[in-house]
Amino acid sequence: LQKLIYLLQATDDPLIQEQALITLSNSAAFSVNQDIIRNLDGLSVIGGMLSDCVPKVKEKALNALNNLSMNVKNQEKIQVYITQVCRNVESAPLNSDLQLAGLRLLTNMSVTSDYHQKMINSIPCFLHLLSKGTERTQIQVLKVLVNLSANPAMTRHLLRAQV
């Protein structure tokens, strides 16, 4: 895992980055690896890939963070990327794998109300995706919206959103 994280930092080759991110994502299926990746500062390395200009690299980074977000301590570190993830969802092509990867991560990050405030500005985007997206996109958006609606503090923001 340490070598994969180092490899991500050391290369600019998108194909190598993609493969390293896929491997880290698969490794994150095991809780012990989630802790190891966090302790090796892998979350910030993977999070840094969200600003990459190659959509496939961003998508694989989102998938890795999604798997890593199943751990509460990791969520504390991942939450700093929520605004950027929301921007990626908004700017991604409609119904793209990149958009779905971002929505899946936001779903996990919105299971508790800890980070809902960071998603408020994206509510109009979520509602737009609900009306314009394919069934896969709509289902993923609904998961985020259901999580947000479980928080009474979000009611006003959800009802006032301009669509």
Side-chain angles (χ1 to χ4, degrees), residues 78-114:
I78 293 169
Q79 61 95 14
V80 300
Y81 302 107
I82 289 176
T83 304
Q84 188 172 7
V85 172
C86 288
R87 281 195 307 264
N88 283 339
V89 167
E90 292 174 28
S91 64
L94 183 63
N95 306 314
S96 64
D97 289 336
L98 174 59
Q99 192 171 61
L100 287 167
L103 288 168
R104 281 192 296 272
L105 176 56
L106 293 175
T107 299
N108 281 350
M109 295 299 293
S110 65
V111 169
T112 67
S113 60
D114 296 344

Side-chain angles (χ1 to χ4, degrees), residues 62-138:
L62 287 165
N63 289 337
L65 289 174
N66 183 48
N67 288 350
L68 289 160
S69 72
M70 302 308 285
N71 176 310
V72 174
K73 287 183 180 177
N74 285 353
Q75 281 192 358
E76 292 169 9
K77 303 275 187 187
I78 293 169
Q79 61 95 14
V80 300
Y81 302 107
I82 289 176
T83 304
Q84 188 172 7
V85 172
C86 288
R87 281 195 307 264
N88 283 339
V89 167
E90 292 174 28
S91 64
L94 183 63
N95 306 314
S96 64
D97 289 336
L98 174 59
Q99 192 171 61
L100 287 167
L103 288 168
R104 281 192 296 272
L105 176 56
L106 293 175
T107 299
N108 281 350
M109 295 299 293
S110 65
V111 169
T112 67
S113 60
D114 296 344
Y115 311 114
H116 286 181
Q117 293 291 348
K118 294 178 179 272
M119 299 180 203
I120 287 173
N121 292 336
S122 294
I123 291 172
C125 171
F126 298 152
L127 295 172
H128 171 77
L129 293 175
L130 189 58
S131 68
K132 298 291 184 195
T134 61
E135 186 176 325
R136 282 177 57 199
T137 301
Q138 290 172 337

